[in-house]
Coordinates of all heavy atoms in Angstrom, one line a residue:
T355 N 72.7 -56.5 -184.4 CA 71.9 -57.4 -183.5 C 71.5 -58.6 -184.3 O 71.7 -59.8 -183.8 CB 70.7 -56.6 -183.0 OG1 71.2 -55.4 -182.4 CG2 70.0 -57.4 -181.9
K356 N 70.9 -58.4 -185.5 CA 70.4 -59.6 -186.2 C 71.6 -60.4 -186.7 O 71.5 -61.6 -186.7 CB 69.6 -59.1 -187.4 CG 69.0 -60.2 -188.3 CD 67.7 -59.9 -188.8 CE 66.6 -60.1 -187.9 NZ 65.2 -60.0 -188.4
A357 N 72.6 -59.8 -187.1 CA 73.8 -60.5 -187.6 C 74.3 -61.4 -186.6 O 74.7 -62.6 -186.8 CB 74.9 -59.6 -188.1
K358 N 74.4 -60.9 -185.3 CA 74.9 -61.8 -184.2 C 74.0 -62.9 -184.0 O 74.4 -64.1 -183.7 CB 75.0 -60.9 -182.9 CG 76.3 -60.1 -182.9 CD 76.4 -59.5 -181.5 CE 77.4 -58.4 -181.4 NZ 77.1 -57.4 -180.4
A359 N 72.7 -62.6 -184.0 CA 71.7 -63.7 -183.8 C 71.8 -64.8 -184.9 O 71.5 -66.0 -184.6 CB 70.3 -63.1 -183.8
L360 N 72.3 -64.5 -186.0 CA 72.4 -65.4 -187.1 C 73.8 -66.1 -187.1 O 74.0 -67.0 -187.9 CB 72.1 -64.8 -188.5 CG 70.7 -64.3 -188.7 CD1 70.6 -63.5 -190.0 CD2 69.7 -65.5 -188.7
G361 N 74.7 -65.6 -186.3 CA 76.0 -66.4 -186.2 C 77.2 -65.5 -186.3 O 78.4 -66.0 -186.2
A362 N 77.1 -64.2 -186.5 CA 78.3 -63.3 -186.6 C 79.0 -63.3 -185.2 O 78.4 -63.3 -184.2 CB 77.9 -61.9 -186.9
T363 N 80.4 -63.4 -185.3 CA 81.1 -63.4 -184.1 C 81.8 -62.0 -183.7 O 82.0 -61.7 -182.6 CB 82.3 -64.5 -184.1 OG1 83.1 -64.2 -185.3 CG2 81.7 -65.9 -184.3
D364 N 82.0 -61.2 -184.8 CA 82.6 -59.9 -184.6 C 82.0 -58.9 -185.5 O 81.7 -59.2 -186.7 CB 84.1 -59.9 -185.0 CG 84.9 -61.0 -184.3 OD1 84.8 -62.2 -184.7 OD2 85.7 -60.7 -183.3
C365 N 81.6 -57.7 -184.9 CA 80.9 -56.7 -185.7 C 81.8 -55.5 -185.8 O 82.3 -54.9 -184.8 CB 79.6 -56.4 -185.1 SG 78.5 -57.8 -184.9
L366 N 82.0 -55.0 -187.0 CA 82.8 -53.8 -187.2 C 82.1 -52.7 -188.0 O 81.5 -53.0 -189.1 CB 84.1 -54.1 -188.0 CG 85.1 -55.2 -187.4 CD1 86.2 -55.5 -188.4 CD2 85.6 -54.6 -186.1
N367 N 82.1 -51.5 -187.5 CA 81.6 -50.4 -188.3 C 82.7 -49.5 -188.7 O 83.4 -48.9 -187.9 CB 80.6 -49.6 -187.4 CG 79.9 -48.5 -188.2 OD1 80.4 -48.0 -189.2 ND2 78.7 -48.1 -187.8
P368 N 83.0 -49.5 -190.0 CA 84.2 -48.7 -190.5 C 84.2 -47.2 -190.0 O 85.2 -46.6 -189.9 CB 84.0 -48.7 -192.0 CG 83.2 -50.0 -192.3 CD 82.3 -50.1 -191.1
K369 N 83.0 -46.7 -189.7 CA 82.9 -45.3 -189.3 C 83.5 -45.1 -187.9 O 83.9 -44.0 -187.5 CB 81.4 -44.9 -189.2 CG 80.8 -44.6 -190.6 CD 79.4 -44.2 -190.4 CE 78.7 -43.8 -191.7 NZ 77.3 -43.5 -191.5
D370 N 83.6 -46.2 -187.1 CA 84.1 -46.2 -185.8 C 85.6 -46.4 -185.7 O 86.2 -46.5 -184.6 CB 83.4 -47.2 -184.8 CG 82.0 -47.0 -184.7 OD1 81.5 -45.8 -185.0 OD2 81.2 -47.9 -184.4
L371 N 86.2 -46.7 -186.9 CA 87.6 -47.2 -186.9 C 88.5 -46.0 -187.4 O 88.1 -45.2 -188.2 CB 87.8 -48.4 -187.8 CG 86.9 -49.6 -187.5 CD1 87.0 -50.6 -188.6 CD2 87.3 -50.2 -186.2
D372 N 89.8 -46.0 -186.9 CA 90.7 -44.9 -187.3 C 91.7 -45.4 -188.4 O 92.6 -44.8 -188.7 CB 91.4 -44.3 -186.1 CG 92.1 -45.3 -185.3 OD1 92.2 -46.5 -185.8 OD2 92.5 -45.0 -184.2
K373 N 91.4 -46.6 -188.9 CA 92.3 -47.1 -190.0 C 91.4 -47.9 -191.0 O 90.3 -48.3 -190.6 CB 93.5 -47.9 -189.5 CG 93.2 -49.0 -188.6 CD 94.5 -49.7 -188.3 CE 94.9 -49.6 -186.8 NZ 96.0 -50.4 -186.4
P374 N 91.9 -48.1 -192.2 CA 91.1 -48.8 -193.2 C 90.6 -50.2 -192.7 O 91.4 -50.9 -192.0 CB 92.0 -49.0 -194.4 CG 93.0 -47.9 -194.2 CD 93.2 -47.7 -192.8
I375 N 89.4 -50.5 -193.0 CA 88.8 -51.8 -192.5 C 89.6 -53.0 -192.8 O 89.8 -53.9 -192.0 CB 87.3 -51.9 -193.1 CG1 86.6 -53.1 -192.5 CG2 87.3 -52.0 -194.6 CD1 86.2 -53.0 -191.1
Q376 N 90.3 -53.0 -194.0 CA 91.1 -54.2 -194.3 C 92.3 -54.4 -193.4 O 92.6 -55.5 -193.0 CB 91.5 -54.2 -195.8 CG 92.2 -53.0 -196.3 CD 91.2 -52.0 -197.0 OE1 90.2 -51.6 -196.3 NE2 91.4 -51.7 -198.3
E377 N 92.8 -53.2 -193.0 CA 94.0 -53.3 -192.0 C 93.5 -53.9 -190.7 O 94.2 -54.7 -190.1 CB 94.6 -51.9 -191.8 CG 95.4 -51.5 -193.0 CD 96.1 -50.1 -192.7 OE1 96.3 -49.8 -191.5 OE2 96.3 -49.4 -193.7
V378 N 92.3 -53.5 -190.3 CA 91.8 -54.0 -189.0 C 91.5 -55.5 -189.1 O 91.9 -56.2 -188.2 CB 90.5 -53.2 -188.7 CG1 89.8 -53.8 -187.4 CG2 90.8 -51.7 -188.5
I379 N 91.0 -55.9 -190.2 CA 90.7 -57.4 -190.3 C 92.0 -58.2 -190.4 O 92.1 -59.2 -189.8 CB 89.8 -57.6 -191.6 CG1 88.4 -57.0 -191.3 CG2 89.7 -59.1 -191.9 CD1 87.5 -56.9 -192.5
I380 N 92.9 -57.7 -191.1 CA 94.2 -58.4 -191.2 C 94.9 -58.5 -189.8 O 95.4 -59.6 -189.5 CB 95.2 -57.7 -192.2 CG1 94.6 -57.9 -193.7 CG2 96.6 -58.2 -192.1 CD1 95.3 -57.0 -194.7
E381 N 94.8 -57.5 -189.0 CA 95.3 -57.5 -187.7 C 94.6 -58.5 -186.8 O 95.1 -59.3 -186.1 CB 95.3 -56.1 -187.0 CG 96.4 -55.2 -187.4 CD 96.3 -53.8 -186.8 OE1 95.5 -53.6 -185.8 OE2 96.9 -52.9 -187.4
M382 N 93.2 -58.4 -186.9 CA 92.4 -59.3 -186.1 C 92.6 -60.8 -186.4 O 92.4 -61.6 -185.5 CB 90.9 -59.0 -186.4 CG 90.3 -57.8 -185.7 SD 88.7 -57.5 -186.4 CE 87.7 -58.7 -185.7
T383 N 93.0 -61.1 -187.6 CA 93.0 -62.5 -188.0 C 94.5 -62.9 -188.3 O 94.7 -64.0 -188.8 CB 92.2 -62.7 -189.3 OG1 92.7 -61.8 -190.3 CG2 90.7 -62.5 -189.1
N384 N 95.4 -62.1 -187.9 CA 96.8 -62.4 -188.1 C 97.2 -62.7 -189.5 O 97.8 -63.8 -189.8 CB 97.2 -63.6 -187.1 CG 98.7 -63.7 -186.9 OD1 99.4 -62.7 -187.2 ND2 99.1 -64.9 -186.5
G385 N 96.7 -61.9 -190.5 CA 97.1 -62.1 -191.9 C 95.9 -62.1 -192.9 O 96.2 -62.1 -194.1
G386 N 94.7 -62.1 -192.4 CA 93.6 -62.0 -193.3 C 92.7 -63.2 -193.2 O 93.1 -64.3 -192.7
V387 N 91.4 -63.1 -193.6 CA 90.5 -64.2 -193.5 C 90.6 -65.2 -194.6 O 91.2 -64.9 -195.7 CB 89.0 -63.6 -193.5 CG1 88.7 -62.9 -192.2 CG2 88.7 -62.7 -194.7
D388 N 90.1 -66.3 -194.4 CA 90.1 -67.4 -195.5 C 89.1 -67.0 -196.6 O 89.3 -67.2 -197.8 CB 89.7 -68.7 -194.9 CG 90.6 -69.2 -193.8 OD1 91.8 -69.1 -194.0 OD2 90.1 -69.6 -192.7
F389 N 87.9 -66.4 -196.2 CA 86.9 -66.1 -197.2 C 86.3 -64.7 -196.9 O 86.0 -64.4 -195.8 CB 85.7 -67.1 -197.1 CG 86.1 -68.5 -197.4 CD1 86.4 -69.4 -196.4 CD2 86.1 -69.0 -198.7 CE1 86.8 -70.7 -196.7 CE2 86.5 -70.3 -199.0 CZ 86.8 -71.2 -198.0
A390 N 86.2 -63.9 -197.9 CA 85.5 -62.6 -197.8 C 84.3 -62.5 -198.8 O 84.5 -63.1 -199.9 CB 86.4 -61.4 -198.0
F391 N 83.3 -61.9 -198.4 CA 82.1 -61.7 -199.3 C 81.7 -60.3 -199.3 O 81.5 -59.7 -198.3 CB 80.9 -62.6 -198.7 CG 81.2 -64.0 -198.7 CD1 81.8 -64.6 -197.6 CD2 81.0 -64.8 -199.8 CE1 82.1 -66.0 -197.6 CE2 81.3 -66.2 -199.8 CZ 81.9 -66.7 -198.7
E392 N 81.7 -59.7 -200.5 CA 81.4 -58.3 -200.7 C 79.9 -58.2 -201.1 O 79.5 -58.6 -202.1 CB 82.3 -57.7 -201.7 CG 82.2 -56.2 -201.9 CD 81.0 -55.9 -202.7 OE1 80.7 -56.5 -203.8 OE2 80.2 -55.0 -202.3
C393 N 79.1 -57.7 -200.1 CA 77.7 -57.7 -200.3 C 77.1 -56.2 -200.3 O 76.1 -56.0 -199.7 CB 77.0 -58.5 -199.3 SG 77.7 -60.1 -199.0
V394 N 77.9 -55.3 -200.9 CA 77.5 -53.9 -200.9 C 77.4 -53.3 -202.3 O 76.3 -52.9 -202.8 CB 78.4 -53.0 -200.0 CG1 78.0 -51.5 -200.0 CG2 78.6 -53.5 -198.6
G395 N 78.5 -53.4 -203.0 CA 78.6 -52.8 -204.3 C 79.5 -51.7 -204.3 O 79.6 -50.9 -203.4
G396 N 80.3 -51.5 -205.4 CA 81.2 -50.4 -205.5 C 82.6 -50.8 -205.4 O 82.9 -51.7 -204.6
A397 N 83.5 -50.1 -206.1 CA 84.9 -50.6 -206.2 C 85.7 -50.5 -204.9 O 86.5 -51.3 -204.5 CB 85.6 -49.7 -207.2
K398 N 85.3 -49.4 -204.1 CA 86.1 -49.2 -202.8 C 85.9 -50.4 -201.9 O 86.8 -50.9 -201.3 CB 85.6 -47.9 -202.2 CG 86.6 -47.4 -201.2 CD 86.2 -46.0 -200.8 CE 87.1 -45.7 -199.5 NZ 86.5 -44.6 -198.7
I399 N 84.7 -50.8 -201.7 CA 84.4 -51.9 -200.8 C 84.8 -53.3 -201.4 O 85.3 -54.2 -200.7 CB 82.9 -52.0 -200.4 CG1 82.6 -52.7 -199.2 CG2 82.0 -52.4 -201.5 CD1 82.6 -51.9 -198.0
M400 N 84.8 -53.4 -202.7 CA 85.4 -54.6 -203.3 C 86.9 -54.7 -203.1 O 87.4 -55.8 -202.7 CB 85.1 -54.6 -204.8 CG 83.6 -54.8 -205.2 SD 83.3 -54.5 -207.0 CE 81.6 -54.6 -207.0
R401 N 87.5 -53.6 -203.2 CA 89.0 -53.5 -202.9 C 89.2 -53.9 -201.4 O 90.1 -54.7 -201.1 CB 89.5 -52.1 -203.2 CG 90.8 -51.7 -202.7 CD 91.9 -52.7 -202.9 NE 92.2 -53.0 -204.3 CZ 93.0 -54.0 -204.7 NH1 93.5 -54.8 -203.8 NH2 93.2 -54.2 -206.0
A402 N 88.4 -53.4 -200.5 CA 88.6 -53.7 -199.1 C 88.4 -55.2 -198.9 O 89.1 -55.9 -198.1 CB 87.6 -52.9 -198.2
A403 N 87.4 -55.8 -199.5 CA 87.1 -57.2 -199.3 C 88.3 -58.1 -199.9 O 88.7 -59.0 -199.2 CB 85.8 -57.6 -200.1
L404 N 88.8 -57.7 -201.0 CA 89.9 -58.5 -201.6 C 91.2 -58.4 -200.7 O 91.8 -59.4 -200.5 CB 90.2 -58.0 -203.0 CG 91.4 -58.7 -203.7 CD1 91.2 -60.2 -203.9 CD2 91.6 -58.1 -205.1
D405 N 91.4 -57.2 -200.2 CA 92.6 -57.0 -199.4 C 92.5 -57.7 -198.1 O 93.5 -58.0 -197.4 CB 92.8 -55.5 -199.0 CG 93.3 -54.7 -200.2 OD1 93.7 -55.3 -201.2 OD2 93.2 -53.4 -200.1
S406 N 91.3 -58.1 -197.7 CA 91.0 -58.7 -196.4 C 91.3 -60.2 -196.4 O 91.4 -60.8 -195.3 CB 89.6 -58.5 -195.9 OG 89.3 -57.1 -195.8
V407 N 91.5 -60.8 -197.5 CA 91.7 -62.2 -197.5 C 93.2 -62.5 -197.5 O 94.0 -61.8 -198.0 CB 91.0 -63.0 -198.7 CG1 89.5 -62.8 -198.7 CG2 91.6 -62.6 -200.1
T408 N 93.5 -63.6 -196.9 CA 94.9 -64.0 -196.7 C 95.6 -64.3 -198.0 O 94.9 -64.9 -198.9 CB 95.0 -65.2 -195.7 OG1 96.4 -65.6 -195.6 CG2 94.2 -66.4 -196.2
V409 N 96.9 -64.0 -198.1 CA 97.6 -64.5 -199.3 C 97.7 -66.0 -199.1 O 97.6 -66.6 -198.0 CB 99.0 -63.9 -199.4 CG1 98.9 -62.4 -199.7 CG2 99.9 -64.2 -198.2
G410 N 98.0 -66.7 -200.2 CA 98.2 -68.2 -200.1 C 96.9 -68.9 -200.6 O 97.0 -69.7 -201.5
W411 N 95.8 -68.6 -199.9 CA 94.6 -69.4 -200.2 C 93.3 -68.6 -200.1 O 92.2 -69.2 -200.3 CB 94.5 -70.7 -199.4 CG 94.5 -70.3 -197.9 CD1 93.4 -70.0 -197.1 CD2 95.6 -70.2 -197.0 NE1 93.7 -69.7 -195.8 CE2 95.1 -69.9 -195.7 CE3 97.0 -70.4 -197.2 CZ2 95.9 -69.7 -194.6 CZ3 97.8 -70.3 -196.0 CH2 97.3 -69.9 -194.8
G412 N 93.3 -67.3 -199.7 CA 92.1 -66.6 -199.5 C 91.2 -66.4 -200.7 O 91.7 -66.3 -201.8
V413 N 89.9 -66.5 -200.5 CA 89.0 -66.4 -201.6 C 88.0 -65.2 -201.3 O 87.4 -65.1 -200.3 CB 88.1 -67.7 -201.7 CG1 87.1 -67.5 -202.8 CG2 89.0 -68.9 -201.9
C414 N 88.0 -64.3 -202.3 CA 87.1 -63.1 -202.2 C 86.0 -63.3 -203.2 O 86.3 -63.4 -204.4 CB 87.9 -61.8 -202.4 SG 86.8 -60.4 -202.5
T415 N 84.8 -63.2 -202.7 CA 83.6 -63.4 -203.6 C 82.9 -62.0 -203.8 O 82.4 -61.5 -202.7 CB 82.6 -64.5 -203.1 OG1 83.4 -65.7 -203.0 CG2 81.5 -64.7 -204.1
I416 N 82.8 -61.5 -205.0 CA 82.1 -60.3 -205.2 C 80.6 -60.6 -205.5 O 80.3 -61.4 -206.4 CB 82.7 -59.6 -206.5 CG1 84.2 -59.3 -206.3 CG2 81.9 -58.3 -206.8 CD1 84.6 -58.3 -205.2
I417 N 79.8 -59.9 -204.7 CA 78.3 -60.1 -204.9 C 77.7 -58.8 -205.3 O 76.8 -58.7 -206.1 CB 77.7 -60.7 -203.6 CG1 78.4 -61.9 -203.1 CG2 76.2 -61.0 -203.9 CD1 77.9 -62.5 -201.8
G418 N 78.1 -57.7 -204.7 CA 77.5 -56.4 -204.9 C 77.7 -55.9 -206.4 O 78.7 -56.3 -207.0
V419 N 76.8 -55.1 -206.8 CA 76.8 -54.6 -208.1 C 77.6 -53.3 -208.2 O 77.5 -52.4 -207.3 CB 75.4 -54.3 -208.6 CG1 75.4 -53.7 -210.0 CG2 74.6 -55.7 -208.7
N420 N 78.5 -53.2 -209.2 CA 79.4 -52.1 -209.4 C 78.6 -51.0 -210.1 O 78.4 -51.1 -211.3 CB 80.6 -52.6 -210.2 CG 81.8 -51.7 -209.9 OD1 82.0 -51.4 -208.7 ND2 82.5 -51.4 -210.9
V421 N 78.2 -49.9 -209.5 CA 77.5 -48.9 -210.2 C 78.3 -47.5 -210.0 O 78.7 -47.2 -208.9 CB 76.1 -48.7 -209.6 CG1 75.3 -47.6 -210.4 CG2 75.3 -50.0 -209.6
G422 N 78.5 -46.9 -211.2 CA 78.9 -45.5 -211.1 C 80.4 -45.3 -210.7 O 80.7 -44.2 -210.2
D423 N 81.2 -46.3 -210.8 CA 82.7 -46.0 -210.6 C 83.4 -46.8 -211.7 O 82.9 -47.5 -212.5 CB 83.1 -46.4 -209.2 CG 82.8 -47.8 -208.8 OD1 83.0 -48.7 -209.6 OD2 82.5 -48.1 -207.6
N424 N 84.8 -46.7 -211.6 CA 85.6 -47.3 -212.6 C 85.8 -48.8 -212.5 O 86.6 -49.4 -213.2 CB 86.9 -46.6 -212.7 CG 86.7 -45.1 -213.2 OD1 85.7 -44.9 -214.0 ND2 87.5 -44.2 -212.8
G425 N 85.3 -49.4 -211.5 CA 85.5 -50.8 -211.3 C 86.7 -51.1 -210.5 O 87.5 -50.3 -210.1
L426 N 86.9 -52.4 -210.3 CA 88.0 -52.9 -209.4 C 89.2 -53.2 -210.3 O 89.1 -53.9 -211.3 CB 87.5 -54.2 -208.7 CG 88.5 -54.9 -207.8 CD1 88.9 -54.0 -206.6 CD2 87.9 -56.2 -207.3
N427 N 90.4 -52.5 -209.9 CA 91.6 -52.8 -210.7 C 92.4 -53.8 -209.8 O 92.7 -53.6 -208.7 CB 92.4 -51.6 -210.8 CG 91.8 -50.6 -211.8 OD1 91.3 -51.1 -212.8 ND2 91.7 -49.3 -211.5
V428 N 92.7 -54.9 -210.5 CA 93.5 -56.0 -209.8 C 94.7 -56.3 -210.6 O 94.7 -56.5 -211.8 CB 92.6 -57.3 -209.7 CG1 93.4 -58.4 -209.0 CG2 91.3 -57.0 -209.0
S429 N 95.9 -56.3 -209.8 CA 97.1 -56.7 -210.5 C 97.3 -58.2 -210.5 O 96.8 -58.9 -209.6 CB 98.3 -56.0 -209.8 OG 98.5 -56.7 -208.6
A430 N 98.0 -58.6 -211.5 CA 98.3 -60.1 -211.6 C 99.0 -60.5 -210.4 O 98.8 -61.7 -209.9 CB 99.1 -60.4 -212.9
M431 N 99.9 -59.7 -209.8 CA 100.7 -60.1 -208.7 C 99.8 -60.4 -207.5 O 100.1 -61.4 -206.7 CB 101.6 -58.9 -208.3 CG 102.5 -59.2 -207.1 SD 103.6 -60.7 -207.5 CE 104.8 -60.0 -208.5
E432 N 98.6 -59.7 -207.4 CA 97.7 -60.0 -206.2 C 97.2 -61.4 -206.3 O 97.0 -62.1 -205.3 CB 96.6 -59.0 -206.2 CG 97.0 -57.6 -205.8 CD 95.7 -56.7 -205.9 OE1 95.0 -56.7 -204.9 OE2 95.5 -56.0 -206.9

Side-chain angles (χ1 to χ4, degrees):
T355 307
K356 180 145 280 183
K358 277 188 197 157
L360 294 174
T363 56
D364 307 76
C365 302
L366 299 174
N367 186 335
K369 288 181 175 173
D370 300 337
L371 305 171
D372 54 12
K373 50 176 116 169
I375 184 71
Q376 49 267 61
E377 284 182 29
V378 174
I379 292 172
I380 288 167
E381 278 176 21
M382 282 170 73
T383 55
N384 198 21
V387 289
D388 300 313
F389 298 94
F391 298 90
E392 184 284 313
C393 313
V394 180
K398 201 170 164 203
I399 199 93
M400 291 174 185
R401 166 48 59 193
L404 178 59
D405 288 347
S406 299
V407 299
T408 178
V409 296
W411 58 85
V413 178
C414 172
T415 305
I416 303 292
I417 307 177
V419 175
N420 206 41
V421 182
D423 59 37
N424 292 329
L426 179 62
N427 290 318
V428 181
S429 74
M431 185 56 80
E432 290 180 84

